[in-house]
Amino acid sequence: MAGPGEDDDPTLTGDTRIIHRARKRYLRCKSWYDEAYKRSLDDTKFANADDRNKWQWPDKIYADRDNKRKPCFTINIVQPANRLVINEALQNKASPRVRATGAEATAEAAEGMQTLIERTENISTATIAYRNVITQQIDGGFGFLCLETKYVNDKSWDQDVYVRAARDPRAVYVDYDTKEPDGSDAGFGFEFEKVPRDRFNREHPRFKDKVGESTLGNDALWLTDSHVLVAMYYEREAKNDELITFVQADGATFNGHRSQIEKDSGPEIVDKLIEQIDNGEIDGRYRDVITQSVNWYLIGGDCILKRGDKDGTRWIGEYVPLIPCWGIKTIIDGKFDCKGHTRAQISPQQYLNYNASGQAQFGALQTKTPWVGPARAFESNEEQWGKANIEDFAFLAFDDWVQDEGEQGRAVAKPERVEPPQIAPIFAKGMEDAERMNMMATGQFQAQRGMEDQQSAASGKAINARQRQGNVATYHFT
């Protein structure tokens, strides 16, 4: 039985042990990331709100206003502000560069590696992947780049490496004990995917109708009659080894691991080699190392559908191929959170929507009738007065004297023009304040947004300075 804080249970065997280990790790990750992932979803919806989905209005407030037939405008200024950062990041794209430094590295080898990287980006349409992950990061706080291998075609045994963005970053979980920003020290990771049931049955006929109700405990919001939830689970396997370096008889230097030499020549040869190094008979040295390999398992329900945990089938690298792209990551009072460019704009945006809606409501409640007066003043020219709000007349005649039968005549007051509808200064000022609040919260002022800046000199130098100020404010995303 697994001890406290341990994921592995040595009393289990085979696939059951792997599933048990994966489930415990997933549930720990879910507990750690759950609140941040919920906030990320809310932020993403907020950034992509419009007048149809109303995602920028709290549900209770929107329901109350809608029931009372009050306007609920969505004037989304978050999305343009986010796009400025996204497009700036795309224009200044960071690309890996390989340089030959140290040991026996050569410029030719570095150039070959650089060519492989560029080819991978080309066949993967990596530009689209980068755009997607940056958008996820800015809107919702984080995104994930995923590496995978695929066969070149259905008649080849050759494989290529592809890079792509996770379709839903909140369906990816990586080891939260990592310390490196790129997650290179992650011990495991998961990527969940909803697969149409007919495709699942075609790709995994042996498991048709055998997959359980839950995949690693993630079920209620995922499984439907038409889809099956699967998880790609990666885990690093660490092994103790020795790095051995020595000069061979022909003068060439050998550098390799004990495990590989034992596999090629046998353990007796390695022991003899170590003895000769210790005695000074061979010029060499050795030290203890820990080697890493990455196993992968495609899990559906409580079944392992596919696996790569043997030589020739493992992941080709030593790192889990799930690369996090975090926004502003914080751990405060033991709680993880990660936010993008949207979070700081929520209050200014809601303030703008409320004031714009209030302005429209204020105007709608004002009278649209241009003239008011005694009913008797309109009797003889009622047709023209009835059209006075839609047609232009040179003059409008009215009855200024009336006399009923048997009564003395009397004067009738003339119709008076009603003041046209007025805007509410409080709402207009509120909309201006909301725009200014958004600029203060994001650090993006008029110059960076392509607007005329009334608060600074109109010289080119001043405009560039204000643009640099905005770029610096959002540089942590780019």
Side-chain angles (χ1 to χ4, degrees), residues 309-321:
D309 54 3
K310 299 289 189 297
D311 290 342
T313 63
R314 292 187 176 93
W315 171 246
I316 58 175
E318 60 180 280
Y319 306 110
V320 173

Side-chain angles (χ1 to χ4, degrees), residues 198-333:
D198 56 351
R199 182 183 130 198
F200 176 87
N201 293 337
R202 182 174 63 252
E203 294 179 352
H204 311 285
R206 292 194 303 114
F207 297 94
K208 182 179 180 181
D209 302 324
K210 292 183 181 180
V211 173
E213 292 292 321
S214 172
T215 297
L216 302 181
N218 195 348
D219 46 13
L221 299 178
W222 288 82
L223 286 181
T224 65
D225 291 338
S226 58
H227 289 81
V228 176
L229 180 67
V230 299
M232 178 61 79
Y233 168 54
Y234 299 95
E235 64 175 11
R236 293 178 91 184
E237 181 180 358
K239 293 182 179 180
N240 294 322
D241 210 332
E242 282 184 298
L243 176 65
I244 302 174
T245 303
F246 66 94
V247 179
Q248 302 178 94
D250 60 0
T253 299
F254 174 87
N255 189 64
H257 290 118
R258 168 187 277 270
S259 57
Q260 187 60 46
I261 303 174
E262 287 182 347
K263 183 178 179 180
D264 294 338
S265 306
E268 297 83 3
I269 298 296
V270 181
D271 292 339
K272 181 64 175 177
L273 176 61
I274 294 295
E275 182 181 345
Q276 290 176 316
I277 293 176
D278 288 339
N279 294 334
E281 299 175 25
I282 294 180
D283 182 13
R285 54 182 176 171
Y286 59 92
R287 65 181 179 90
D288 293 334
V289 296
I290 297 177
T291 60
Q292 300 279 359
S293 58
V294 179
N295 302 327
W296 61 266
Y297 305 92
L298 184 63
I299 301 174
D302 54 357
C303 304
I304 295 181
L305 311 175
K306 291 183 179 180
R307 66 200 311 142
D309 54 3
K310 299 289 189 297
D311 290 342
T313 63
R314 292 187 176 93
W315 171 246
I316 58 175
E318 60 180 280
Y319 306 110
V320 173
L322 302 174
I323 307 168
C325 301
W326 304 114
I328 302 175
K329 185 171 68 169
T330 59
I331 301 175
I332 301 175
D333 291 336

Side-chain angles (χ1 to χ4, degrees), residues 19 47 181 216 268 293 296 307 310 338 356 366 427 442 448 453:
I19 295 290
L216 302 181
E268 297 83 3
S293 58
W296 61 266
R307 66 200 311 142
K310 299 289 189 297
C338 191
Q366 298 185 59
F427 290 126
T442 61
Q448 193 183 21
D453 189 350

